[in-house]
Amino acid sequence: MAKSDSFFIRATLDCNNTNVYQQTGIDLGAYVDALGKSVLRIHNIAVTFSDSTGRTSEVTSSGSAPYNGAAAQFQLLTQSQADIVVPSNRSIISSGRIVASGNGGVPTYVSDHFDNLPQMWQNGYLVAVDQIFLGGTASTGFDGDVYCSIVMECTVETMTQAAAMALALSQQ
């Protein structure tokens, strides 16, 4: 596969609305083989927080009037985690969060200024492990489960076997 032939990998995680960490694996075995010198380069990441149908997650009407708050966050990782980790953790590929407020129904205010959801690196992010993990959580301030969907634009590239193995070991 030529470097210019990009493709998309998509995944969705049900973050629930219980403020408890959830996680799902994304199999990269078809693209990554460190012994075979094949690695994945993630060029861009687009993330959406929604309900199960892809619509806007509603903020609950219970709580303190006039506005109620809700928050959701995600992390894309090279290692499985038991909870959210800080972005300086070596397993983090990307992370993001939203904070919403409203008085029941569709949020009247949503911010992603605590973290930037789309990730567009100039040279991409190299991955040499055969599975990555999408993790996340959503607060009880949402009326129902919050779904985090991610779309990654990727290419497959070749490295020397030593470089691919070194990268794989650093990401485990």
Side-chain angles (χ1 to χ4, degrees):
M1 189 175 276
K3 287 185 181 180
S4 62
D5 293 337
S6 66
F7 56 93
F8 297 93
I9 297 174
R10 302 167 192 272
T12 297
L13 172 70
D14 181 355
C15 295
N16 294 326
N17 68 338
T18 59
N19 214 21
V20 174
Y21 185 72
Q22 307 296 321
Q23 181 177 275
T24 189
I26 301 170
D27 182 16
L28 301 179
Y31 315 107
V32 174
D33 180 6
L35 288 174
K37 307 183 278 186
S38 206
V39 297
L40 183 79
R41 185 178 300 271
I42 303 172
H43 296 277
N44 300 301
I45 295 175
V47 178
T48 299
F49 287 102
S50 68
D51 68 9
S52 64
T53 66
R55 295 180 181 269
T56 302
S57 297
E58 293 191 355
V59 175
T60 186
S61 57
S62 62
S64 304
Y67 295 103
N68 301 304
Q73 59 192 52
F74 85 96
Q75 55 189 17
L76 186 64
L77 309 129
T78 61
Q79 300 174 22
S80 178
Q81 299 293 329
D83 204 347
I84 297 292
V85 295
V86 296
S88 60
N89 183 296
R90 73 181 184 137
S91 67
I92 287 281
I93 298 170
S94 178
S95 66
R97 69 190 75 219
I98 59 167
V99 177
S101 65
N103 191 12
V106 175
T108 55
Y109 174 80
V110 177
S111 173
D112 67 349
H113 287 99
F114 287 112
D115 201 343
N116 190 16
L117 298 179
Q119 308 289 310
M120 294 174 279
W121 301 283
Q122 181 151 356
N123 294 314
Y125 192 100
L126 286 175
V127 177
V129 292
D130 60 2
Q131 185 175 29
I132 57 176
F133 300 89
L134 177 59
T137 184
S139 72
T140 59
F142 290 103
D143 272 346
D145 286 4
V146 175
Y147 290 77
C148 176
S149 297
I150 188 168
V151 178
M152 299 175 282
E153 181 184 13
C154 305
T155 55
V156 173
E157 298 182 15
T158 302
M159 297 178 83
T160 66
Q161 185 176 2
M165 285 305 297
L167 180 59
L169 290 172
S170 75
Q171 293 180 337
Q172 294 180 1

